[in-house]
Amino acid sequence: MRWKLKTAAVITPLILGACTATDLPVSFSARDAGFATVEARTSKAIGKRTVWAQSQAETVAASKQVRAMVQGKTISAETAVQVALLNNKGLQASYAQIGLSAAEAWQQSTPENPVVSIGLLGIGAPEVGLYRALESMIAVNLLDARTRKQRIAAAEAEFQHAQMQAVSDTLALANETREAWINAVAAFEAVGYLKRAAVTTDAAAELAQQLGKTGALNKAAQAREQAFNAEMAGQLAQARLDAQLAKEQLTRLMGLWGQDVAYYVPDALPRVPNTVSSHKGIERLALANRVDLEVARLGLAATAKAYGLTDATRTLTDLEVIAGAEIEREEEDGEVETSISPQVEFEFVIPIFDSGKARMRKAELSYLQAANVLAERAVNVRSEARAAATAYRSSHQIARHYSDVVLPLRRTLDEEALLSNNGMITSTFDLLNDAREKIGSQLEAANAKREFWLASAGLTAAIYGGGSGGGGAGGETQIAAGGGAGH
Protein backbone atom coordinates (compact mmCIF):
# COMPACT_ATOMS: atom_id res chain seq x y z
CA MET A 1 0.00 0.00 0.00
CA ARG A 2 1.32 3.47 -0.91
CA TRP A 3 0.31 6.88 0.37
CA LYS A 4 1.32 9.99 -1.50
CA LEU A 5 1.08 13.38 0.19
CA LYS A 6 1.80 16.52 -1.87
CA THR A 7 1.78 19.88 -0.04
CA ALA A 8 2.75 23.34 -1.15
CA ALA A 9 5.20 25.57 0.66
CA VAL A 10 2.99 28.28 2.11
CA ILE A 11 5.63 30.73 3.31
CA THR A 12 7.33 31.42 -0.02
CA PRO A 13 4.33 32.75 -2.03
CA LEU A 14 3.00 34.75 0.88
CA ILE A 15 6.32 36.51 1.25
CA LEU A 16 6.38 37.17 -2.49
CA GLY A 17 2.91 38.70 -2.27
CA ALA A 18 3.57 40.84 0.78
CA CYS A 19 7.04 42.11 0.05
CA THR A 20 5.75 44.90 -2.22
CA ALA A 21 2.86 46.08 -0.07
CA THR A 22 3.06 49.84 0.37
CA ASP A 23 1.38 52.32 2.66
CA LEU A 24 -1.09 54.56 0.88
CA PRO A 25 -0.62 58.33 1.09
CA VAL A 26 -4.17 58.81 2.34
CA SER A 27 -6.39 56.75 4.58
CA PHE A 28 -8.62 55.09 2.02
CA SER A 29 -10.12 52.88 4.69
CA ALA A 30 -11.59 55.84 6.61
CA ARG A 31 -15.38 56.08 6.69
CA ASP A 32 -15.41 59.57 5.17
CA ALA A 33 -12.29 59.16 3.05
CA GLY A 34 -11.66 62.22 0.90
CA PHE A 35 -14.80 64.14 1.84
CA ALA A 36 -12.85 66.81 3.75
CA THR A 37 -11.50 67.99 0.39
CA VAL A 38 -15.05 68.40 -0.94
CA GLU A 39 -16.09 70.37 2.15
CA ALA A 40 -13.07 72.69 1.93
CA ARG A 41 -13.43 73.41 -1.78
CA THR A 42 -17.18 74.00 -1.50
CA SER A 43 -16.77 76.39 1.42
CA LYS A 44 -14.07 78.32 -0.44
CA ALA A 45 -16.19 78.73 -3.57
CA ILE A 46 -19.66 79.52 -2.23
CA GLY A 47 -19.33 79.74 1.55
CA LYS A 48 -21.76 76.89 2.19
CA ARG A 49 -21.39 73.64 4.08
CA THR A 50 -22.34 70.21 2.87
CA VAL A 51 -22.68 66.82 4.53
CA TRP A 52 -22.23 63.21 3.53
CA ALA A 53 -24.94 61.28 5.34
CA GLN A 54 -23.85 57.64 5.67
CA SER A 55 -26.34 56.45 8.27
CA GLN A 56 -30.00 56.78 9.07
CA ALA A 57 -29.20 58.94 12.09
CA GLU A 58 -27.17 61.38 9.97
CA THR A 59 -29.95 61.56 7.38
CA VAL A 60 -32.56 62.31 10.05
CA ALA A 61 -30.34 65.00 11.58
CA ALA A 62 -29.91 66.72 8.20
CA SER A 63 -33.67 66.55 7.59
CA LYS A 64 -34.35 68.27 10.92
CA GLN A 65 -31.97 71.08 10.01
CA VAL A 66 -33.68 71.51 6.66
CA ARG A 67 -37.15 71.55 8.20
CA ALA A 68 -36.14 74.27 10.63
CA MET A 69 -34.82 76.38 7.73
CA VAL A 70 -37.79 76.20 5.37
CA GLN A 71 -41.05 75.13 6.97
CA GLY A 72 -43.52 78.00 6.84
CA LYS A 73 -40.80 80.55 6.03
CA THR A 74 -39.98 82.88 3.17
CA ILE A 75 -36.54 81.69 2.05
CA SER A 76 -33.70 83.64 0.48
CA ALA A 77 -31.42 82.42 -2.29
CA GLU A 78 -28.72 81.61 0.27
CA THR A 79 -31.12 79.48 2.30
CA ALA A 80 -32.30 77.64 -0.80
CA VAL A 81 -28.71 76.78 -1.77
CA GLN A 82 -27.84 75.60 1.74
CA VAL A 83 -30.94 73.41 1.91
CA ALA A 84 -30.10 71.81 -1.44
CA LEU A 85 -26.55 70.99 -0.32
CA LEU A 86 -27.89 69.33 2.83
CA ASN A 87 -30.89 67.57 1.39
CA ASN A 88 -30.49 66.73 -2.31
CA LYS A 89 -30.28 62.94 -2.68
CA GLY A 90 -28.62 63.05 -6.09
CA LEU A 91 -25.72 64.91 -4.47
CA GLN A 92 -25.50 62.21 -1.81
CA ALA A 93 -25.20 59.63 -4.58
CA SER A 94 -22.31 61.63 -6.04
CA TYR A 95 -20.59 61.63 -2.66
CA ALA A 96 -20.93 57.85 -2.49
CA GLN A 97 -18.72 57.64 -5.58
CA ILE A 98 -15.87 59.03 -3.47
CA GLY A 99 -16.26 56.12 -1.10
CA LEU A 100 -16.36 53.65 -3.98
CA SER A 101 -13.12 55.05 -5.40
CA ALA A 102 -11.49 54.97 -1.97
CA ALA A 103 -12.54 51.35 -1.51
CA GLU A 104 -11.08 50.47 -4.91
CA ALA A 105 -7.74 52.09 -4.02
CA TRP A 106 -7.79 50.27 -0.68
CA GLN A 107 -8.47 47.01 -2.51
CA GLN A 108 -5.56 47.57 -4.90
CA SER A 109 -3.21 48.16 -1.97
CA THR A 110 -3.68 44.66 -0.57
CA PRO A 111 -1.86 41.62 -2.00
CA GLU A 112 -3.90 39.18 -4.04
CA ASN A 113 -5.08 36.22 -2.00
CA PRO A 114 -3.28 32.92 -2.72
CA VAL A 115 -5.31 30.17 -4.38
CA VAL A 116 -5.52 26.94 -2.35
CA SER A 117 -6.51 23.60 -3.87
CA ILE A 118 -6.88 20.31 -1.99
CA GLY A 119 -7.55 16.93 -3.60
CA LEU A 120 -7.79 13.33 -2.39
CA LEU A 121 -7.28 10.59 -4.98
CA GLY A 122 -8.14 6.93 -4.68
CA ILE A 123 -11.28 7.21 -2.55
CA GLY A 124 -13.31 3.97 -2.60
CA ALA A 125 -10.53 1.97 -4.28
CA PRO A 126 -9.90 -1.67 -3.17
CA GLU A 127 -7.45 -2.14 -0.30
CA VAL A 128 -5.19 -4.41 -2.31
CA GLY A 129 -2.64 -2.59 -4.42
CA LEU A 130 -3.99 0.74 -3.20
CA TYR A 131 -2.37 3.95 -4.37
CA ARG A 132 -3.85 6.93 -2.61
CA ALA A 133 -2.68 10.52 -2.79
CA LEU A 134 -3.53 13.65 -0.83
CA GLU A 135 -2.65 16.81 -2.77
CA SER A 136 -2.64 20.35 -1.36
CA MET A 137 -1.48 23.20 -3.57
CA ILE A 138 -1.14 26.96 -3.01
CA ALA A 139 -0.63 29.28 -5.97
CA VAL A 140 0.08 33.01 -6.01
CA ASN A 141 0.20 35.45 -8.92
CA LEU A 142 3.68 36.96 -9.08
CA LEU A 143 2.58 39.67 -11.51
CA ASP A 144 0.24 41.01 -8.83
CA ALA A 145 3.23 41.94 -6.70
CA ARG A 146 5.12 43.41 -9.64
CA THR A 147 2.30 45.70 -10.80
CA ARG A 148 0.78 46.68 -7.45
CA LYS A 149 2.59 50.01 -7.33
CA GLN A 150 1.20 51.02 -10.72
CA ARG A 151 -2.29 49.82 -9.83
CA ILE A 152 -2.26 51.78 -6.57
CA ALA A 153 -1.15 54.92 -8.40
CA ALA A 154 -3.93 54.52 -10.97
CA ALA A 155 -6.51 53.91 -8.23
CA GLU A 156 -5.33 56.96 -6.29
CA ALA A 157 -5.64 59.11 -9.41
CA GLU A 158 -9.19 57.86 -9.89
CA PHE A 159 -9.90 58.63 -6.24
CA GLN A 160 -8.72 62.23 -6.63
CA HIS A 161 -10.78 62.48 -9.81
CA ALA A 162 -13.87 61.34 -7.88
CA GLN A 163 -13.19 63.98 -5.22
CA MET A 164 -13.03 66.81 -7.74
CA GLN A 165 -16.07 65.47 -9.60
CA ALA A 166 -18.00 65.57 -6.32
CA VAL A 167 -16.91 69.19 -5.82
CA SER A 168 -18.05 69.97 -9.36
CA ASP A 169 -21.42 68.30 -8.73
CA THR A 170 -21.81 70.29 -5.51
CA LEU A 171 -21.11 73.61 -7.21
CA ALA A 172 -23.41 72.68 -10.10
CA LEU A 173 -26.27 71.96 -7.70
CA ALA A 174 -25.66 75.23 -5.85
CA ASN A 175 -25.66 77.13 -9.13
CA GLU A 176 -28.79 75.45 -10.43
CA THR A 177 -30.62 76.05 -7.15
CA ARG A 178 -29.67 79.72 -7.10
CA GLU A 179 -30.90 80.13 -10.67
CA ALA A 180 -34.14 78.31 -9.82
CA TRP A 181 -34.72 80.68 -6.90
CA ILE A 182 -34.14 83.72 -9.11
CA ASN A 183 -36.50 82.37 -11.76
CA ALA A 184 -39.20 81.53 -9.22
CA VAL A 185 -39.10 84.95 -7.57
CA ALA A 186 -39.05 86.71 -10.95
CA ALA A 187 -42.05 84.66 -12.05
CA PHE A 188 -44.07 85.70 -9.00
CA GLU A 189 -42.99 89.32 -9.55
CA ALA A 190 -44.38 89.12 -13.09
CA VAL A 191 -47.64 87.77 -11.68
CA GLY A 192 -47.88 90.85 -9.45
CA TYR A 193 -47.47 93.21 -12.38
CA LEU A 194 -49.99 91.33 -14.51
CA LYS A 195 -52.54 91.32 -11.69
CA ARG A 196 -52.34 95.10 -11.57
CA ALA A 197 -52.64 95.23 -15.34
CA ALA A 198 -55.71 92.99 -15.16
CA VAL A 199 -57.39 95.48 -12.84
CA THR A 200 -56.83 98.21 -15.43
CA THR A 201 -58.15 96.11 -18.32
CA ASP A 202 -61.18 95.07 -16.26
CA ALA A 203 -61.96 98.73 -15.67
CA ALA A 204 -61.54 99.56 -19.35
CA ALA A 205 -63.80 96.69 -20.41
CA GLU A 206 -66.47 97.71 -17.90
CA LEU A 207 -66.31 101.32 -19.05
CA ALA A 208 -66.56 100.28 -22.70
CA GLN A 209 -69.63 98.20 -21.91
CA GLN A 210 -71.36 101.08 -20.12
CA LEU A 211 -70.54 103.54 -22.91
CA GLY A 212 -71.81 101.04 -25.43
CA LYS A 213 -75.18 100.96 -23.71
CA THR A 214 -75.47 104.72 -24.05
CA GLY A 215 -74.41 104.63 -27.69
CA ALA A 216 -71.28 106.69 -27.04
CA LEU A 217 -68.99 103.82 -28.12
CA ASN A 218 -69.46 101.67 -31.20
CA LYS A 219 -69.28 97.86 -31.18
CA ALA A 220 -65.80 97.71 -32.70
CA ALA A 221 -64.34 99.84 -29.91
CA GLN A 222 -66.20 97.77 -27.31
CA ALA A 223 -64.88 94.54 -28.82
CA ARG A 224 -61.33 95.92 -28.84
CA GLU A 225 -61.41 96.55 -25.08
CA GLN A 226 -63.12 93.21 -24.35
CA ALA A 227 -60.52 91.35 -26.44
CA PHE A 228 -57.66 93.06 -24.66
CA ASN A 229 -59.21 92.20 -21.30
CA ALA A 230 -59.60 88.54 -22.32
CA GLU A 231 -56.00 88.37 -23.55
CA MET A 232 -54.78 89.83 -20.28
CA ALA A 233 -56.70 87.18 -18.34
CA GLY A 234 -54.97 84.47 -20.39
CA GLN A 235 -51.54 86.04 -19.82
CA LEU A 236 -52.17 86.22 -16.08
CA ALA A 237 -53.22 82.55 -15.96
CA GLN A 238 -50.07 81.55 -17.86
CA ALA A 239 -47.90 83.65 -15.56
CA ARG A 240 -49.40 81.98 -12.50
CA LEU A 241 -48.74 78.57 -14.01
CA ASP A 242 -45.13 79.52 -14.84
CA ALA A 243 -44.60 80.74 -11.28
CA GLN A 244 -45.89 77.50 -9.75
CA LEU A 245 -43.78 75.38 -12.07
CA ALA A 246 -40.70 77.48 -11.30
CA LYS A 247 -41.28 76.97 -7.60
CA GLU A 248 -41.66 73.22 -8.12
CA GLN A 249 -38.29 73.17 -9.87
CA LEU A 250 -36.78 74.86 -6.83
CA THR A 251 -38.52 72.35 -4.56
CA ARG A 252 -37.03 69.42 -6.47
CA LEU A 253 -33.52 70.81 -6.28
CA MET A 254 -33.86 71.33 -2.53
CA GLY A 255 -35.07 67.73 -2.18
CA LEU A 256 -38.21 68.71 -0.27
CA TRP A 257 -41.38 66.68 0.09
CA GLY A 258 -44.31 66.28 2.44
CA GLN A 259 -44.78 69.10 4.93
CA ASP A 260 -41.40 70.59 4.05
CA VAL A 261 -42.80 72.02 0.80
CA ALA A 262 -44.82 74.57 2.81
CA TYR A 263 -42.33 77.37 2.22
CA TYR A 264 -42.49 80.70 0.40
CA VAL A 265 -40.33 82.78 -1.90
CA PRO A 266 -40.32 86.60 -1.98
CA ASP A 267 -42.68 88.60 -4.18
CA ALA A 268 -39.89 90.44 -5.99
CA LEU A 269 -36.17 90.32 -6.69
CA PRO A 270 -33.92 92.86 -4.91
CA ARG A 271 -33.06 96.17 -6.52
CA VAL A 272 -30.13 96.30 -8.90
CA PRO A 273 -27.06 97.87 -7.22
CA ASN A 274 -25.88 101.28 -8.38
CA THR A 275 -22.38 100.12 -9.31
CA VAL A 276 -20.64 96.81 -9.99
CA SER A 277 -17.04 95.64 -10.15
CA SER A 278 -15.25 95.41 -13.49
CA HIS A 279 -13.88 91.95 -12.59
CA LYS A 280 -10.54 92.40 -14.27
CA GLY A 281 -8.35 89.32 -14.13
CA ILE A 282 -11.27 86.93 -14.13
CA GLU A 283 -9.53 84.69 -16.67
CA ARG A 284 -6.58 84.20 -14.33
CA LEU A 285 -8.87 83.41 -11.42
CA ALA A 286 -10.82 80.91 -13.50
CA LEU A 287 -7.70 79.07 -14.67
CA ALA A 288 -6.47 78.83 -11.08
CA ASN A 289 -9.75 77.76 -9.47
CA ARG A 290 -12.05 76.03 -11.96
CA VAL A 291 -12.93 72.60 -10.63
CA ASP A 292 -13.87 71.18 -14.04
CA LEU A 293 -10.41 72.13 -15.30
CA GLU A 294 -8.88 70.25 -12.38
CA VAL A 295 -11.12 67.28 -13.14
CA ALA A 296 -9.71 67.26 -16.67
CA ARG A 297 -6.16 67.44 -15.29
CA LEU A 298 -6.81 64.52 -12.97
CA GLY A 299 -8.38 62.60 -15.83
CA LEU A 300 -5.17 63.05 -17.78
CA ALA A 301 -3.13 61.91 -14.77
CA ALA A 302 -5.32 58.84 -14.31
CA THR A 303 -4.90 57.97 -17.98
CA ALA A 304 -1.13 58.32 -17.64
CA LYS A 305 -1.12 55.96 -14.64
CA ALA A 306 -3.24 53.47 -16.55
CA TYR A 307 -0.82 53.76 -19.47
CA GLY A 308 2.05 52.81 -17.14
CA LEU A 309 0.13 49.78 -15.93
CA THR A 310 -0.60 48.70 -19.50
CA ASP A 311 3.08 49.01 -20.35
CA ALA A 312 4.02 46.86 -17.37
CA THR A 313 1.72 44.06 -18.54
CA ARG A 314 2.12 44.51 -22.29
CA THR A 315 3.53 41.01 -23.04
CA LEU A 316 2.75 39.14 -19.82
CA THR A 317 -0.68 39.46 -18.26
CA ASP A 318 -0.67 36.45 -15.91
CA LEU A 319 2.14 34.66 -14.07
CA GLU A 320 1.57 32.18 -11.25
CA VAL A 321 4.07 30.21 -9.21
CA ILE A 322 3.12 26.98 -7.46
CA ALA A 323 5.79 25.97 -4.94
CA GLY A 324 5.74 22.96 -2.61
CA ALA A 325 7.03 19.50 -1.83
CA GLU A 326 5.80 16.01 -2.63
CA ILE A 327 5.97 13.56 0.27
CA GLU A 328 5.48 9.92 -0.71
CA ARG A 329 5.23 7.10 1.83
CA GLU A 330 5.14 3.46 0.71
CA GLU A 331 4.59 0.40 2.89
CA GLU A 332 5.40 -3.01 1.45
CA ASP A 333 6.16 -6.37 3.23
CA GLY A 334 6.22 -4.60 6.59
CA GLU A 335 8.83 -2.09 5.50
CA VAL A 336 8.00 1.65 5.26
CA GLU A 337 9.81 3.86 2.79
CA THR A 338 9.36 7.66 2.74
CA SER A 339 10.62 9.97 -0.04
CA ILE A 340 10.44 13.76 -0.28
CA SER A 341 10.87 15.69 -3.51
CA PRO A 342 10.51 19.49 -3.80
CA GLN A 343 8.33 20.82 -6.57
CA VAL A 344 7.93 24.23 -8.28
CA GLU A 345 5.55 24.95 -11.14
CA PHE A 346 5.05 28.10 -13.22
CA GLU A 347 1.92 28.95 -15.15
CA PHE A 348 1.77 31.85 -17.62
CA VAL A 349 0.08 32.95 -20.82
CA ILE A 350 2.16 32.65 -23.98
CA PRO A 351 1.68 35.87 -26.04
CA ILE A 352 1.43 34.13 -29.41
CA PHE A 353 -1.61 35.92 -30.79
CA ASP A 354 -1.99 38.95 -28.48
CA SER A 355 1.41 40.61 -28.16
CA GLY A 356 -0.01 43.57 -26.25
CA LYS A 357 0.51 46.07 -29.08
CA ALA A 358 -3.21 46.68 -29.49
CA ARG A 359 -3.63 47.42 -25.78
CA MET A 360 -0.68 49.78 -25.88
CA ARG A 361 -2.18 51.59 -28.87
CA LYS A 362 -5.47 51.99 -27.05
CA ALA A 363 -3.65 53.35 -24.01
CA GLU A 364 -1.71 55.83 -26.14
CA LEU A 365 -4.86 57.09 -27.86
CA SER A 366 -6.67 57.36 -24.51
CA TYR A 367 -3.87 59.56 -23.19
CA LEU A 368 -3.96 61.71 -26.33
CA GLN A 369 -7.72 62.03 -26.00
CA ALA A 370 -7.47 63.12 -22.36
CA ALA A 371 -4.77 65.67 -23.25
CA ASN A 372 -6.97 67.24 -25.93
CA VAL A 373 -9.95 67.32 -23.57
CA LEU A 374 -7.82 69.22 -21.05
CA ALA A 375 -6.61 71.68 -23.70
CA GLU A 376 -10.16 72.32 -24.92
CA ARG A 377 -11.38 72.79 -21.36
CA ALA A 378 -8.70 75.44 -20.73
CA VAL A 379 -9.74 77.36 -23.85
CA ASN A 380 -13.41 77.18 -22.87
CA VAL A 381 -12.73 78.25 -19.29
CA ARG A 382 -11.09 81.48 -20.41
CA SER A 383 -13.89 82.20 -22.88
CA GLU A 384 -16.60 81.46 -20.31
CA ALA A 385 -14.90 83.76 -17.80
CA ARG A 386 -14.81 86.63 -20.30
CA ALA A 387 -18.43 85.98 -21.28
CA ALA A 388 -19.54 85.96 -17.65
CA ALA A 389 -17.85 89.28 -16.93
CA THR A 390 -19.31 90.83 -20.10
CA ALA A 391 -22.80 89.58 -19.35
CA TYR A 392 -22.57 90.87 -15.79
CA ARG A 393 -21.56 94.39 -16.81
CA SER A 394 -23.95 94.61 -19.76
CA SER A 395 -26.98 93.25 -17.91
CA HIS A 396 -26.31 95.74 -15.12
CA GLN A 397 -26.31 98.62 -17.62
CA ILE A 398 -29.55 97.39 -19.18
CA ALA A 399 -31.29 96.92 -15.84
CA ARG A 400 -30.15 100.34 -14.63
CA HIS A 401 -31.38 101.88 -17.90
CA TYR A 402 -34.88 100.58 -17.22
CA SER A 403 -34.88 101.61 -13.57
CA ASP A 404 -33.23 105.02 -14.09
CA VAL A 405 -34.65 106.09 -17.46
CA VAL A 406 -37.59 104.07 -18.77
CA LEU A 407 -39.65 103.69 -15.58
CA PRO A 408 -39.25 107.36 -14.50
CA LEU A 409 -40.42 108.45 -17.95
CA ARG A 410 -43.43 106.15 -17.67
CA ARG A 411 -44.26 107.63 -14.27
CA THR A 412 -44.07 111.11 -15.73
CA LEU A 413 -46.38 110.15 -18.59
CA ASP A 414 -48.79 108.58 -16.13
CA GLU A 415 -48.87 111.71 -13.96
CA GLU A 416 -49.31 114.05 -16.92
CA ALA A 417 -52.05 111.88 -18.40
CA LEU A 418 -53.90 111.94 -15.12
CA LEU A 419 -53.69 115.74 -14.97
CA SER A 420 -54.91 116.00 -18.58
CA ASN A 421 -57.79 113.67 -17.85
CA ASN A 422 -58.81 115.72 -14.83
CA GLY A 423 -58.75 118.78 -17.07
CA MET A 424 -60.90 116.97 -19.66
CA ILE A 425 -58.06 117.25 -22.20
CA THR A 426 -57.60 113.49 -22.74
CA SER A 427 -60.13 110.69 -22.69
CA THR A 428 -60.35 108.00 -20.03
CA PHE A 429 -59.41 105.38 -22.60
CA ASP A 430 -56.17 107.23 -23.33
CA LEU A 431 -55.45 107.22 -19.61
CA LEU A 432 -56.09 103.47 -19.38
CA ASN A 433 -53.94 102.82 -22.44
CA ASP A 434 -51.04 104.72 -20.85
CA ALA A 435 -51.47 102.61 -17.71
CA ARG A 436 -51.31 99.41 -19.77
CA GLU A 437 -48.13 100.57 -21.50
CA LYS A 438 -46.61 101.38 -18.11
CA ILE A 439 -47.29 97.81 -16.99
CA GLY A 440 -45.50 96.56 -20.11
CA SER A 441 -42.44 98.65 -19.26
CA GLN A 442 -42.50 97.35 -15.69
CA LEU A 443 -42.51 93.77 -16.97
CA GLU A 444 -39.54 94.51 -19.23
CA ALA A 445 -37.71 96.15 -16.33
CA ALA A 446 -38.42 93.10 -14.13
CA ASN A 447 -37.03 90.80 -16.81
CA ALA A 448 -33.90 92.96 -17.12
CA LYS A 449 -33.46 92.74 -13.35
CA ARG A 450 -33.82 88.96 -13.51
CA GLU A 451 -31.16 88.76 -16.22
CA PHE A 452 -28.80 90.84 -14.11
CA TRP A 453 -29.12 88.58 -11.08
CA LEU A 454 -28.61 85.50 -13.25
CA ALA A 455 -25.49 87.06 -14.74
CA SER A 456 -24.36 88.05 -11.27
CA ALA A 457 -24.77 84.47 -10.19
CA GLY A 458 -22.76 83.35 -13.20
CA LEU A 459 -19.54 84.92 -11.96
CA THR A 460 -18.86 82.26 -9.33
CA ALA A 461 -19.56 79.51 -11.85
CA ALA A 462 -17.09 81.17 -14.21
CA ILE A 463 -14.41 81.27 -11.51
CA TYR A 464 -15.01 78.02 -9.61
CA GLY A 465 -17.11 75.86 -11.92
CA GLY A 466 -20.49 74.24 -11.72
CA GLY A 467 -22.20 76.41 -14.35
CA SER A 468 -23.53 75.68 -17.80
CA GLY A 469 -20.95 77.92 -19.50
CA GLY A 470 -21.18 81.46 -20.78
CA GLY A 471 -22.54 84.27 -18.68
CA GLY A 472 -25.68 82.92 -17.07
CA ALA A 473 -24.84 80.31 -14.44
CA GLY A 474 -23.42 80.02 -10.96
CA GLY A 475 -23.61 82.23 -7.88
CA GLU A 476 -21.42 85.16 -6.86
CA THR A 477 -23.41 87.98 -5.34
CA GLN A 478 -25.49 87.02 -2.34
CA ILE A 479 -29.11 87.93 -2.99
CA ALA A 480 -31.17 88.88 -0.01
CA ALA A 481 -34.86 88.09 0.23
CA GLY A 482 -37.06 90.61 -1.52
CA GLY A 483 -40.05 92.36 -0.04
CA GLY A 484 -43.54 91.02 0.46
CA ALA A 485 -45.01 87.97 2.15
CA GLY A 486 -43.92 85.59 -0.58
CA HIS A 487 -45.60 82.66 -2.30
Side-chain angles (χ1 to χ4, degrees):
M1 178 176 65
R2 293 194 307 165
W3 285 87
K4 181 182 180 182
L5 176 64
K6 185 191 291 184
T7 65
V10 178
I11 297 178
T12 301
L14 291 182
I15 292 177
L16 289 173
C19 65
T20 58
T22 58
D23 293 330
L24 292 173
V26 294
S27 179
F28 289 108
S29 59
R31 184 171 180 268
D32 58 347
F35 187 67
T37 299
V38 179
E39 289 181 299
R41 295 295 294 266
T42 301
S43 178
K44 175 185 176 183
I46 57 177
K48 297 291 183 292
R49 64 187 182 89
T50 185
V51 298
W52 182 11
Q54 300 184 61
S55 67
Q56 183 65 25
E58 292 173 343
T59 301
V60 171
S63 297
K64 288 182 178 179
Q65 295 180 50
V66 167
R67 189 169 296 112
M69 295 169 69
V70 302
Q71 199 170 64
K73 298 180 179 179
T74 300
I75 64 172
S76 66
E78 305 307 316
T79 300
V81 170
Q82 184 61 80
V83 168
L85 297 188
L86 294 176
N87 202 49
N88 186 281
K89 302 309 177 186
L91 188 61
Q92 293 297 311
S94 176
Y95 292 162
Q97 186 59 42
I98 306 176
L100 292 174
S101 298
E104 176 63 24
W106 186 13
Q107 178 69 43
Q108 295 296 342
S109 70
T110 59
E112 183 177 325
N113 292 326
V115 178
V116 179
S117 61
I118 300 176
L120 179 62
L121 305 178
I123 298 176
E127 290 291 336
V128 181
L130 174 66
Y131 175 86
R132 290 179 179 174
L134 176 64
E135 294 184 351
S136 177
M137 307 292 294
I138 296 182
V140 67
N141 191 337
L142 289 181
L143 200 61
D144 170 71
R146 182 188 171 210
T147 62
R148 187 174 303 120
K149 183 177 180 180
Q150 291 95 330
R151 288 187 287 108
I152 290 175
E156 184 183 354
E158 288 293 342
F159 171 70
Q160 293 174 343
H161 184 275
Q163 282 181 308
M164 289 301 102
Q165 186 60 55
V167 175
S168 181
D169 292 343
T170 303
L171 296 180
L173 175 63
N175 164 60
E176 194 174 354
T177 303
R178 190 181 298 275
E179 284 188 330
W181 184 91
I182 293 171
N183 288 327
V185 175
F188 280 109
E189 186 172 6
V191 169
Y193 285 126
L194 288 173
K195 286 172 66 176
R196 289 192 286 274
V199 172
T200 302
T201 57
D202 285 342
E206 179 65 24
L207 177 61
Q209 185 178 14
Q210 295 300 326
L211 291 176
K213 292 179 180 179
T214 63
L217 197 66
N218 58 36
K219 289 186 177 181
Q222 294 179 53
R224 184 180 299 109
E225 296 300 328
Q226 295 292 340
F228 192 85
N229 187 43
E231 290 171 355
M232 181 58 65
Q235 293 177 20
L236 178 58
Q238 183 63 51
R240 284 172 170 161
L241 173 60
D242 293 341
Q244 291 298 326
L245 294 180
K247 187 180 178 183
E248 282 300 329
Q249 171 67 8
L250 178 62
T251 299
R252 287 196 296 272
L253 292 171
M254 292 193 295
L256 301 179
W257 72 327
Q259 295 180 348
D260 294 340
V261 301
Y263 71 94
Y264 306 95
V265 295
D267 291 322
L269 289 170
R271 287 175 52 86
V272 176
N274 293 331
T275 59
V276 294
S277 173
S278 62
H279 288 282
K280 293 181 179 179
I282 192 173
E283 292 181 57
R284 176 182 53 80
L285 290 174
L287 290 174
N289 294 283
R290 278 286 285 262
V291 174
D292 53 344
L293 191 59
E294 189 166 352
V295 168
R297 290 194 191 102
L298 291 172
L300 181 63
T303 304
K305 300 295 184 183
Y307 178 86
L309 179 61
T310 302
D311 184 54
T313 59
R314 182 170 63 89
T315 57
L316 191 61
T317 59
D318 196 15
L319 173 62
E320 289 187 345
V321 60
I322 305 172
E326 183 178 275
I327 303 175
E328 189 173 329
R329 183 177 182 182
E330 185 175 357
E331 182 179 352
E332 190 173 338
D333 298 332
E335 295 182 4
V336 178
E337 182 179 350
T338 302
S339 62
I340 301 176
S341 58
Q343 190 176 64
V344 178
E345 299 178 8
F346 289 93
E347 294 183 1
F348 60 91
V349 176
I350 301 176
I352 297 177
F353 304 107
D354 184 4
S355 63
K357 291 183 178 180
R359 285 185 288 113
M360 283 298 296
R361 181 58 177 163
K362 288 170 61 177
E364 290 171 359
L365 290 176
S366 295
Y367 183 82
L368 181 61
Q369 182 184 49
N372 282 306
V373 167
L374 175 59
E376 181 193 30
R377 187 69 262 166
V379 171
N380 292 346
V381 161
R382 297 189 66 174
S383 175
E384 290 167 10
R386 293 192 301 269
T390 301
Y392 180 65
R393 293 191 300 269
S394 299
S395 61
H396 176 263
Q397 293 173 356
I398 295 171
R400 291 300 304 183
H401 175 74
Y402 273 98
S403 63
D404 296 344
V405 179
V406 176
L407 293 183
L409 286 175
R410 280 296 175 189
R411 283 194 293 270
T412 300
L413 286 173
D414 193 36
E415 293 169 358
E416 292 299 320
L418 182 60
L419 291 174
S420 297
N421 180 259
N422 291 338
M424 305 302 291
I425 300 175
T426 60
S427 70
T428 302
F429 286 109
D430 290 336
L431 181 64
L432 293 174
N433 186 62
D434 289 340
R436 288 197 294 262
E437 291 180 353
K438 178 184 176 182
I439 292 295
S441 296
Q442 288 175 330
L443 288 173
E444 292 177 358
N447 186 64
K449 182 168 60 171
R450 167 184 169 274
E451 291 300 320
F452 165 75
W453 285 118
L454 289 175
S456 174
L459 287 172
T460 290
I463 296 173
Y464 294 101
S468 56
E476 186 239 7
T477 306
Q478 292 190 350
I479 305 174
H487 297 271

